[in-house]
Amino acid sequence: MFSITQRAQDVSSMITTSIGVLAVLISISSLIQLYLNDYNNLSGELSVRKAQNSVKFTRSFGGNARNGKENVRLSFDMETDLTPLFNWNTKQVFVYLVGEYDGLNVLKKAKVAKDESSKVVFWDKIIRDKADAVLDLKNTRSKYTVWDYYQKMGNRTANLKLEYNIQPHVGPLVWGSVDFNYPFEFPEPKNA
Amino acid sequence: MDQAAEYFQKNIAPALAFNIDFKGQEKVTSLCQLTTIIFSVIAFVLGFILQDVLVTGYVMAVGTVVLLVIGLPAYPAYNKNPVTFLKPTEVKLPDLDSAKAVDIEIST
């Protein structure tokens, strides 16, 4: 404008406005790309090789000295292709293997709702590149030993699925899941 | 300290203003808006085709530098129509020394 400071202010306002508009356009275009890539209908295969349930009596495994807590660990094979989730706006994708099972409504005094469900995470991974997006895992051990709020976990059936969270460079977070249709029954505890 | 500030305001600051006239101001703003739009479009299209956000960032960085080079310095091309001020003329000021004081009555 008239003096150099006014011109500098005008130029900087133009630049920040254009950066804001570009950010909105990038996020909208990447969401459209995900929708066209059919990101919600991914498929894969999962099979659990070995699962074990043991009762632990220490704090770091959810139990205490008197009442134990049933802890479940498993090892699995998994195959899935996550490349439709990657476009120019994807910074990284966080995938995690969850088991979803019904809440325990046996204990009446706990007042658990009938349709309550619990989710536990067995394994997770951060994928940063499109080249690493094809997962082909063999005999992978679960990262975390899982336990429930209540003591009993054995003989309850869980639905295992892989959930993902797409973290973009600009724009909103996107969640989704790959359903394996694999009902998995937790084994009985081997030490009472 | 005050004297230094006064000296700065009187002698150094006007030289640092790098003024341009009004016609040049019109030219500069329209030129800067045009280059901003052009660089934003090029950045988005290139980034989308190459599927890389870094390309968009780099093109916008280059656009920022170009804008600073175009808009900030006071080129003589922007100073072609200087503002013509009126010549200083004699203005009759009222004679305050012989003015009569007006009595104001304060009603209580």
Side-chain angles (χ1 to χ4, degrees):
Chain A
M1 291 216 177
F2 202 43
S3 76
I4 192 171
T5 44
Q6 289 170 302
R7 293 200 302 276
Q9 185 176 321
D10 198 29
V11 163
S12 80
S13 76
M14 286 181 204
I15 291 170
T16 42
T17 310
S18 67
I19 288 178
V21 169
L22 265 185
V24 169
L25 285 180
I26 290 176
S27 70
I28 292 181
S29 75
S30 77
L31 288 177
I32 293 179
Q33 270 186 301
L34 281 180
Y35 179 69
L36 291 177
N37 268 345
D38 214 11
Y39 80 103
N40 238 339
N41 289 333
L42 296 177
S43 61
E45 300 209 341
L46 173 84
S47 63
V48 175
R49 281 215 198 176
K50 194 170 82 115
Q52 66 185 51
N53 181 350
S54 47
V55 184
K56 307 264 193 198
F57 290 92
T58 54
R59 269 284 177 86
S60 46
F61 289 99
N64 48 38
R66 267 182 300 134
N67 321 314
K69 203 50 114 50
E70 295 189 12
N71 278 261
V72 174
R73 287 194 325 228
L74 48 84
S75 62
F76 59 94
D77 299 342
M78 186 166 72
E79 266 180 34
T80 178
D81 184 13
L82 295 172
T83 40
L85 304 178
F86 279 85
N87 52 29
W88 64 324
N89 197 16
T90 308
K91 189 164 85 173
Q92 59 197 26
V93 173
F94 181 63
V95 291
Y96 44 109
L97 180 72
V98 304
E100 189 169 6
Y101 55 95
D102 291 329
L104 197 64
N105 52 3
V106 173
L107 305 169
K108 290 247 169 62
K109 51 182 178 176
K111 294 194 184 71
V112 172
K114 250 205 153 52
D115 52 355
E116 179 187 88
S117 75
S118 311
K119 262 194 208 177
V120 284
V121 178
F122 288 104
W123 171 91
D124 54 34
K125 186 181 168 72
I126 296 179
I127 306 175
R128 292 201 177 86
D129 220 358
K130 197 171 183 167
D132 305 330
V134 178
L135 294 176
D136 191 9
L137 307 165
K138 293 271 178 280
N139 208 11
T140 312
R141 256 188 288 160
S142 64
K143 261 196 202 178
Y144 312 105
T145 165
V146 302
W147 61 84
D148 188 33
Y149 186 72
Y150 302 104
Q151 273 181 311
K152 208 167 159 34
M153 255 196 131
N155 291 334
R156 290 162 82 172
T157 328
N159 190 20
L160 292 179
K161 55 186 171 176
L162 185 77
E163 296 197 358
Y164 55 79
N165 181 11
I166 307 173
Q167 295 154 0
H169 280 119
V170 279
L173 296 173
V174 177
W175 283 272
S177 73
V178 181
D179 221 343
F180 295 119
N181 288 323
Y182 191 90
F184 164 69
E185 188 175 326
F186 294 125
E188 277 285 335
K190 61 175 195 246
N191 56 331
Chain B
M1 207 52 214
D2 283 344
Q3 276 188 346
E6 208 178 306
Y7 181 77
F8 181 82
Q9 274 294 97
K10 263 198 143 157
N11 302 24
I12 303 182
L16 289 178
F18 296 108
N19 289 335
I20 57 176
D21 49 55
F22 291 114
K23 283 270 184 272
Q25 174 183 331
E26 282 176 24
K27 268 201 263 178
V28 160
T29 39
S30 56
L31 190 61
C32 282
Q33 283 168 350
L34 188 66
T35 51
T36 310
I37 294 178
I38 287 178
F39 268 99
S40 307
V41 167
I42 292 180
F44 182 75
V45 167
L46 263 186
F48 190 77
I49 289 178
L50 298 175
Q51 283 288 304
D52 194 4
V53 190
L54 284 181
V55 169
T56 303
Y58 290 151
V59 172
M60 280 313 290
V62 167
T64 306
V65 172
V66 166
L67 266 182
L68 293 178
V69 165
I70 288 181
L72 286 192
Y75 295 110
Y78 299 145
N79 262 325
K80 284 285 173 53
N81 307 52
V83 182
T84 49
F85 291 104
L86 295 173
K87 284 203 184 45
T89 57
E90 274 290 319
V91 176
K92 274 203 149 170
L93 291 171
D95 195 7
L96 289 174
D97 289 331
S98 65
K100 290 186 222 136
V102 179
D103 289 336
I104 303 175
E105 282 185 0
I106 303 173
S107 56
T108 51

